[in-house]
Amino acid sequence: MSTFTELGLNDEILKALQDLGYEKPSEIQEKAVPQVINSTDDLKAFAQTGTGKTAAFSLPILQLLDAKSKNTQAIILSPTRELAVQIGNNIKEFSKYMKGVNVLTVYGGANIDEQIRGLRKGVQIVVGTPGRTVDLIKRRQLHLDNVKWLILDEADEMLNMGFKDELDQVLEVTPDEKQTLLFSATFPREVEAIARNYMHNPIEITAGQKNTGSDNVSNEYYVVTERNRYPALKRICDANPDVYGIIFCRTKRETAQVAENLMQDGYNADALHGDLSQSQRDAVMQKFRNKTLQILVATDVAARGLDVNSLTHVINYKLPDQTEAYTHRSGRTGRAGNKGISIALITNKEVGRLRPIERKINKKFEKKEVPSGEEICKSQLFSLIDNVKKTEVNHEQIDSYLETIYSSLEGLEREELIQKFVSVEFNKFLKYYTNSRDLNVAERERGRDDRGKARDDENMSRFFINLGRKDDLNPGKLIGLINQQNITNNVEIGQIEILDTFSFFELDKNFTDETITAFTDATFNGRNVNVEITEKRKRSGGGRREDRRGRGRRFEGGRREDRRSDRRKGGSGNYDKNKSGKSYGPDRSDRRSADKPDRSAGFGRRRS
Ligand code: AMP
């Protein structure tokens, strides 16, 4: 492990780091600082937040910066206002003993004139959100022709937030000879494309894989309706006859209920939650550890610290409220070199909750189809055959009956015998799953930003904005503009209508006032932006639709313009297709019976 001095930093920086209490470089700092100081090669760094990456890219820049020149030498792009401000403040702290170093943070939602005045004083390092940075470039207030370093911080997040166009625009106005440093927690296709198109043979470094999921765990999800969550759970268990796993529920009540239902339906399951006495919990855990219990239904709290090495599955009956909790849950499987599967049962409304988890675990979920009755029968059949092969014959007990049995089965061929014996068990499954319905729901398209689906209209406020197609606005840019205002974290955006000279968008109505305030000083391509609340548009009826703002109708040029309706997450079309396009079984009575518990069905693989 090196020291900061060994990384090649000057005394002023070292002193500042000492003030901050930074004793030793973090892993990413140890790798990135000397790399940037000693080479002009582009750098692609895999790093999570919280690993010390701000210092990793700021310190070498401060070391190499020409403080005598007032030109902007470094531009740092960051996805959010908060992060940009934090980076700007950190750099000010790192450079507090350096003379003549100026840093400015620029972001939407703040007074642009003040930022322009700041730029005019001459700043060597600019930290900005993509939208405001582009705005200042277009106004010819931010000049990037002398930039030596371009830093893309949290590149994946910027692309997720719809800033692709802005990144392209900034990248295009910076000199070719600059050094590009790209930091990202994940490297999806879009980030790789940026690296491919704008970086030259980048050096790759990786550091601080904290909070990532185990490589031995594959993450899968099933999209079902709320009503079918439990039947889907049963099918997953049935399709995996040797399942040895934990089903996580969100509440004690839900845990108790799911465990109770599974037990009644013949599964080898039990519950573990905080309302049980210590001795009950110990007894359940004992059974689970020695594998006489196959399925443990548990709350997060109860299963904390549970250390069982050979779990095949973790099933998220409901996703946890905190993204972090998913890693704890899934980390119960895939231990000690074993492979494991972590399953999430979600409704269409919850699809958007997968993306933050994917970012956290740095892995993609694989979509799976709830197994059909036929698939379950097949896996049960082969499991049965496997069990037959493995079963030891207890001669002591059975030998005295064998003579009679042989004579009563006389005349049956070998194949016929096998078929009949296997069918004794198998027919129960065949019967149970006859006419079983398809429990899958077609997933609504995951759009450009998966931070959640647009909600139903009643949860949305509708806004007018004085920009349209003629102002070069499109749905992506409008989303970018909304995101730049930092109204609140993950605010949901609903329908967007882009017209020629003005547009409409819907946003979570809980943030109506914040939205109006956030847009007060906003600009787009040098135009002042005006956002006002409008009446919700009427969806029913075939008549002419009117959009009313507080001050009356607004039809530009007296005619309605052709309109295109876009949902940020691209959802509604697919959803409808799904509703009408799937066959859900012959009739309602069949549907009900197909998943009704049949205690005689015999797939309670109770071992105890
Ligand atoms: P970052 O990933 O840059 O947001 O940094 C995460 C946190 O770690 C911040 O609070 C930093 O101040 C702190 N930090 C970064 N590098 C070091 C270091 N070498 N020693 C101690 N703290 C650090």
Side-chain angles (χ1 to χ4, degrees), residues 5-286:
T5 316
E6 285 163 354
L7 297 188
L9 298 168
N10 65 39
D11 288 346
E12 286 95 348
I13 298 175
L14 292 174
K15 197 155 175 264
L17 293 178
Q18 209 174 359
D19 288 356
L20 287 168
Y22 286 22
E23 288 171 7
K24 281 191 232 123
S26 69
E27 192 188 351
I28 188 83
Q29 291 159 3
E30 200 172 17
K31 289 181 177 171
V33 174
Q35 174 61 38
V36 180
I37 289 180
N38 298 315
S39 153
T40 53
D41 286 339
D42 288 343
L43 183 74
K44 210 169 119 186
F46 170 95
Q48 308 261 348
T49 34
T51 52
K53 62 187 163 62
T54 314
F57 59 73
S58 310
L59 300 181
I61 291 171
L62 287 170
Q63 174 68 32
L64 299 172
L65 191 91
D66 179 3
K68 292 197 191 81
S69 161
K70 293 290 174 215
N71 289 332
T72 298
Q73 295 160 49
I75 171 81
I76 299 164
L77 293 180
S78 115
T80 65
R81 170 189 173 160
E82 288 74 19
L83 194 57
V85 169
Q86 192 182 300
I87 294 170
N89 288 340
N90 282 348
I91 299 177
K92 281 178 196 157
E93 286 173 329
F94 300 146
S95 62
K96 71 176 180 185
Y97 295 114
M98 295 175 72
K99 291 222 169 63
V101 174
N102 293 323
V103 186
L104 183 75
T105 309
V106 296
Y107 47 86
N111 189 323
I112 197 163
D113 295 328
E114 226 168 84
Q115 293 172 359
I116 291 171
R117 278 196 292 279
L119 286 172
R120 285 185 185 152
K121 285 185 197 152
V123 281
Q124 294 99 348
I125 303 176
V126 173
V127 188
T129 50
R132 180 54 63 96
T133 303
V134 167
D135 200 351
L136 288 163
I137 292 169
K138 288 193 174 159
R139 289 173 180 235
R140 299 183 192 285
Q141 299 296 332
L142 175 60
H143 305 283
L144 299 181
D145 17 342
N146 290 305
V147 151
K148 290 187 190 152
W149 300 280
L150 166 73
I151 294 96
L152 304 173
D153 190 24
E154 308 226 344
D156 52 350
E157 194 64 33
M158 285 197 279
L159 294 173
N160 280 336
M161 291 173 77
F163 286 132
K164 165 90 174 61
D165 287 353
E166 286 79 1
L167 292 197
D168 286 342
Q169 287 172 50
V170 176
L171 284 155
E172 268 158 23
V173 298
T174 49
D176 276 350
E177 322 75 68
K178 71 181 178 296
Q179 186 174 19
T180 302
L181 315 177
L182 184 147
F183 287 77
S184 201
T186 57
F187 278 84
R189 235 183 14 214
E190 300 83 353
V191 178
E192 290 293 357
I194 293 267
R196 221 176 20 255
N197 295 338
Y198 292 103
M199 298 173 84
H200 309 290
N201 300 322
I203 305 287
E204 295 186 17
I205 58 172
T206 300
Q209 297 193 29
K210 59 176 222 172
N211 295 333
T212 57
S214 157
D215 276 350
N216 287 333
V217 180
S218 42
N219 298 273
E220 301 174 349
Y221 71 103
Y222 296 78
V223 184
V224 293
T225 59
E226 193 60 59
R227 199 165 64 102
N228 285 337
R229 211 186 277 271
Y230 179 70
L233 172 71
K234 288 203 302 172
R235 287 212 192 168
I236 291 167
C237 293
D238 285 344
N240 294 281
D242 294 321
V243 63
Y244 174 47
I246 307 179
I247 297 170
F248 280 98
C249 298
R250 285 176 61 244
T251 61
K252 289 185 258 187
R253 207 172 136 165
E254 189 177 78
T255 303
Q257 190 64 58
V258 170
E260 183 60 32
N261 289 348
L262 285 173
M263 286 188 272
Q264 280 191 9
D265 290 345
Y267 293 82
N268 181 11
D270 212 336
L272 186 74
H273 56 76
D275 282 351
L276 301 176
S277 70
Q278 193 55 48
S279 60
Q280 284 174 311
R281 288 169 70 156
D282 290 346
V284 172
M285 273 317 299
Q286 177 68 17

Side-chain angles (χ1 to χ4, degrees), residues 502-551:
F502 61 94
S503 308
F504 297 94
F505 61 90
E506 290 178 354
L507 225 103
D508 189 333
K509 79 172 177 200
N510 292 315
F511 300 103
T512 304
D513 292 342
E514 287 87 340
T515 304
I516 300 285
T517 313
F519 272 100
T520 313
D521 291 320
T523 57
F524 180 79
N525 290 348
R527 250 193 98 174
N528 285 334
V529 174
N530 175 29
V531 166
E532 293 175 30
I533 184 90
T534 77
E535 263 181 35
K536 292 290 277 298
R537 105 184 160 193
K538 300 208 170 32
R539 284 176 195 281
S540 54
R544 246 166 104 97
R545 215 170 51 199
E546 295 183 357
D547 280 297
R548 288 173 194 280
R549 285 191 290 148
R551 280 183 248 129

